Amino acid sequence: MKLLPILALGLIAPILLHAQPKNVPPAVPAKAEKSAATSSGTDIPFNPDTQITTDHEVTIKGQKVPYKATAGTLPVWDEEGKTIAGLFYTYYERSDVKDRDARPLVISFNGGPGTASVWMHLAYTGPKLLKIDDEGYPVQPYGYKDNPYSILDVADIVYVDPVNTGFSRIVNKETPKSKFFGVTADIKYLAEWINSFVSRTNRWASPKFLIGESYGTTRVSGLALELQQAQWMYLNGVILVSPTELGIERGSATDAALRLPYFSATAWFHKKLPADLQQKDLTAMLPEVENFTLNELVPALNKGSLLPDADRKTIAAKMARYSGLSEAVILQNNLDISPNLFWKELMREKGFTVGRLDSRYLGIDKANAGESPDYNAELTSWLHSFTPPINMYLREELKWKTDLKYYMFGPVHPWDRNGDHTAENLRQAMAMNPYLHLMVQSGYYDGACDYFNAKYNMYQMDPSGRLKNRMRWEGYRSGHMMYLRKEDLISSNEHIREFIRAALPKAGEPAKY
C-alpha cells in the first residue's frame, strides 16, 4: 500500500486571521490571460484568476441533465493577501436546479501527491468519459464521450488540481515550496482555497462532500478536520477511493501480513489457487483468507524467530495455498513476501508480470529472472488512455486556451511526509459533526492501496465501533481505479448516489447525538 507518500495534519488547527483576504478582485475573463502574471521559471502566460463558462447537456440514467461547465483558475493567497499560486479547476453545475442551497456540492481531488484531477474527472463521476473498452484498456482513436453514469444528476462537482498539477502553477517565485509540498501544508492551503471557492460560487448553504482517490484520501481525511477547525465549514460526507494508510502505524510484521488477502484476490483472478478455492466466487473465498490473516498470520509474523519451525512450515503452507506462490519461495523470504516479488513471481512461469495498481494487467519484462517488474503495466496503459482526451476536452470543448503543459504528474518533490494523523483527523471530525458520513471504495486487485488495508483503516480508526452506523465500505472487481471497468463504473457511481442521499439529513433534523 506504499503507492504514494502520505498526508498529515495536526489535531489542533490554528485559528486563521483571514478566511479570505479582503478586497479580493473578481475573476477576470479567460481572454485576459495573455496579459496576466507568468508562472515561475517560464515565459508562458498564466493568469491565476480567470474563468470561462460553457453550456452543455448530458443524459444520465435516461434523464436529460443540462449543466454549465466552468474551467478556471482561482488564486491561493498568502497571509498578507498576495497571490502566490493559481489553482486550475473544472466546475459543473446543473442548470435547471431551482433550490441551489439544497443542492449537494462534491469537491474532488486525486492524489500522487503530484497528480491532477484528470482520473476521476474523465473516467468516473464527471459528465464526460474517456473512450476505453469495457475492462478499461485503451482503444484508438483516442477521445471521450458522454458519461451516462455521472453523479451530476444528484450533485454539482468541482475537480481541483493542486499546485503544479494540471494547469495549476506557482506565480510568486519567492514563495518557498514548503508552502505547498507537504502533508500539513497541502491540507492548509487547500482548505483556504476551498473557502475562497465556496464563497465566490455562493455555495455556503449547500451540503458538501469531499472525494479523494489514493493520496487524495489522505488529503481529504485531513481536510475534513481542517475545514471544521480553521474555516468553520462542516461536511456531510467524505468518500475515500483506494485509500492509503491514513497515517495508521502497522509495524513491519502486521504490514507484511495484511497484504495476503490482496495476493489471494489476484491469484484467484489469474486462476492460480487450488481447485477448492478457485471454484468459489471471489467474495465467498476471501473471508477465509481475511480470518487467517488476522487470527494466525499477524501473530505468527510478530513472533519472528520465536515461531517454532513446525508452525512456520504450517503458516507457509497456508500462505502458499492462499497466494498462488510456492511454499519454498515463502519460506525463503521468511513468510514476508514483498509486493514487488509477488508481482514478479505469480505469473513468472508464463513469462508475465502483474500490474501494481491493477493486477488484472499483464506486463512483459526483459528477463523472467529478478525480484521486481521492469515497469507498471497498468500505469502505462492508463497514461495511454487519459493524456490525449483530457487535453482535447479542456482545450477544445471547454475552450481553455493555454500554452501550458497539462501536468498528469507534476513536480512536487521533495514532499514533507511528517506528521500524518489523517485517520485520526477524520475520526475526530466525524465525532464532532454528527452529520458527517464516510464511504470507502476499494478494488480487490489494487496492490498499491489494497482493499484489506482499507478495511483495517476502518477497524483502527473507530476502535469503539461508535461510528459504525456512519461508515460504509464497498469492494469492486478491478484495481486502483475501479471505475475503469464498466460494470464497476456503474455500481460505484450508484453507491455514491446512495451515499449522498443517505448523508443528507431530513428537513429540520438537528446535528446532535
Side-chain angles (χ1 to χ4, degrees):
M1 191 161 154
K2 301 283 185 184
L3 163 67
L4 312 164
I6 310 276
L7 279 174
L9 173 65
L11 293 179
I12 305 299
I15 296 178
L16 301 180
L17 298 180
H18 70 295
Q20 180 175 335
K22 296 180 180 179
N23 302 318
V24 173
V28 296
K31 66 182 181 181
E33 186 175 351
K34 289 185 178 179
S35 62
T38 59
S39 59
S40 177
T42 179
D43 293 326
I44 300 175
F46 173 66
N47 189 334
D49 196 355
T50 184
Q51 64 182 42
I52 185 166
T53 300
T54 49
D55 293 311
H56 308 265
E57 185 178 84
V58 62
T59 299
I60 300 173
K61 300 182 70 175
Q63 176 190 26
K64 289 186 177 180
V65 177
Y67 65 94
K68 294 189 300 181
T70 300
T73 52
L74 194 151
V76 176
W77 291 287
D78 68 10
E79 292 78 3
E80 297 176 353
K82 289 183 178 180
T83 298
I84 56 175
L87 298 195
F88 180 76
Y89 66 91
T90 313
Y91 176 38
Y92 297 101
E93 276 185 289
R94 183 167 179 166
S95 51
D96 62 351
V97 172
K98 295 180 180 178
D99 185 3
R100 182 69 57 192
D101 288 352
R103 173 85 168 161
L105 173 66
V106 174
I107 304 167
S108 181
F109 293 97
N110 273 96
T115 70
S117 63
V118 53
W119 314 102
M120 290 196 292
H121 182 179
L122 207 55
Y124 192 9
T125 51
K128 296 295 180 181
L129 197 62
L130 79 166
K131 290 182 180 178
I132 49 179
D133 77 0
D134 287 352
E135 290 298 315
Y137 290 88
V139 295
Q140 288 185 327
Y142 301 115
Y144 55 88
K145 57 189 177 182
D146 285 350
N147 183 2
Y149 317 110
S150 169
I151 62 169
L152 190 56
D153 57 332
V154 298
D156 295 337
I157 319 164
V158 58
Y159 298 90
V160 187
D161 292 344
V163 168
N164 276 11
T165 73
F167 291 135
S168 299
R169 298 293 190 270
I170 299 171
V171 297
N172 186 342
K173 65 181 180 180
E174 304 301 325
T175 303
K177 301 285 181 65
S178 60
K179 193 79 174 177
F180 309 107
F181 303 150
V183 173
T184 303
D186 180 76
I187 291 168
K188 288 185 179 300
Y189 91 79
L190 287 173
E192 290 284 317
W193 188 92
I194 289 171
N195 183 310
S196 300
F197 176 83
V198 167
S199 296
R200 183 170 285 184
T201 55
N202 300 315
R203 299 307 297 264
W204 273 98
S206 299
K208 299 172 191 67
F209 295 79
L210 298 180
I211 182 170
E213 180 179 33
S214 195
Y215 185 76
T217 62
T218 313
R219 177 176 284 138
V220 300
S221 295
L223 278 169
L225 186 63
E226 179 74 4
L227 286 169
Q228 286 185 190
Q229 293 192 330
Q231 307 299 330
W232 313 286
M233 184 183 295
Y234 290 76
L235 304 171
N236 285 74
V238 172
I239 302 165
L240 306 181
V241 180
S242 304
T244 63
E245 296 99 331
L246 305 181
I248 297 173
E249 292 294 332
R250 269 93 165 136
S252 59
T254 299
D255 188 47
L258 294 177
R259 301 172 192 141
L260 184 63
Y262 152 71
F263 291 168
S264 192
T266 299
W268 181 90
F269 178 82
H270 290 290
K271 297 181 170 51
K272 298 287 289 183
L273 295 182
D276 64 313
L277 294 177
Q278 199 66 57
Q279 68 185 6
K280 294 182 179 181
D281 185 65
L282 175 66
T283 55
M285 179 272 295
L286 285 175
E288 179 181 332
V289 186
E290 294 174 8
N291 288 334
F292 166 74
T293 298
L294 290 177
N295 299 323
E296 298 183 54
L297 185 56
V298 169
L301 290 181
N302 274 296
K303 287 181 181 178
S305 64
L306 292 178
L307 186 67
D309 288 344
D311 292 350
R312 183 181 303 273
K313 184 169 177 57
T314 298
I315 292 293
K318 288 187 177 182
M319 288 182 68
R321 168 176 164 79
Y322 293 137
S323 68
L325 304 184
S326 71
E327 185 177 334
V329 167
I330 291 169
L331 286 170
Q332 288 166 5
N333 286 274
N334 302 318
L335 311 181
D336 182 354
I337 302 297
S338 71
N340 272 318
L341 178 57
F342 177 78
W343 299 323
K344 182 74 174 183
E345 180 70 23
L346 183 68
M347 301 291 287
R348 191 192 298 268
E349 64 183 27
K350 293 189 176 181
F352 294 113
T353 61
V354 298
R356 178 190 187 199
L357 297 165
D358 191 329
S359 294
R360 297 175 302 148
Y361 289 70
L362 298 177
I364 298 176
D365 282 357
K366 182 178 181 179
N368 280 353
E371 295 185 353
S372 62
D374 292 349
Y375 66 99
N376 292 341
E378 77 299 327
L379 186 56
T380 299
S381 174
W382 294 344
L383 288 169
H384 206 288
S385 303
F386 278 87
T387 309
I390 191 64
N391 279 281
M392 294 158 62
Y393 175 59
L394 294 176
R395 298 172 191 274
E396 297 171 20
E397 184 156 346
L398 298 193
K399 312 301 182 186
W400 189 258
K401 303 302 181 183
T402 180
D403 288 323
L404 289 174
K405 179 189 294 185
Y406 187 88
Y407 281 146
M408 303 291 284
F409 296 92
V412 301
H413 297 287
W415 189 273
D416 183 354
R417 307 174 190 178
N418 293 315
D420 181 0
H421 307 292
T422 48
E424 172 57 21
N425 299 152
L426 181 53
R427 184 211 64 79
Q428 188 175 348
M430 291 181 71
M432 295 165 64
N433 177 7
Y435 279 159
L436 182 53
H437 290 66
L438 169 66
M439 181 166 72
V440 177
Q441 297 183 308
S442 296
Y444 289 113
Y445 308 128
D446 180 1
C449 298
D450 70 84
Y451 89 91
F452 194 60
N453 266 285
K455 286 186 173 183
Y456 186 83
N457 281 347
M458 299 172 76
Y459 304 153
Q460 302 302 314
M461 176 181 150
D462 178 35
S464 71
R466 294 175 187 169
L467 302 177
K468 268 186 181 179
N469 65 333
R470 286 187 279 145
M471 301 172 83
R472 172 177 176 176
W473 181 89
E474 296 289 347
Y476 307 92
R477 296 176 188 237
S478 43
H480 195 68
M481 294 196 282
M482 73 287 298
Y483 44 82
L484 294 183
R485 181 172 176 260
K486 184 177 180 180
E487 183 178 323
D488 293 325
L489 169 69
I490 297 170
S491 61
S492 57
N493 268 316
E494 192 58 34
H495 290 151
I496 293 178
R497 280 190 191 84
E498 295 168 0
F499 175 73
I500 288 173
R501 292 182 181 122
L504 297 177
K506 297 176 182 177
E509 181 183 347
K512 69 176 184 179
Y513 291 114

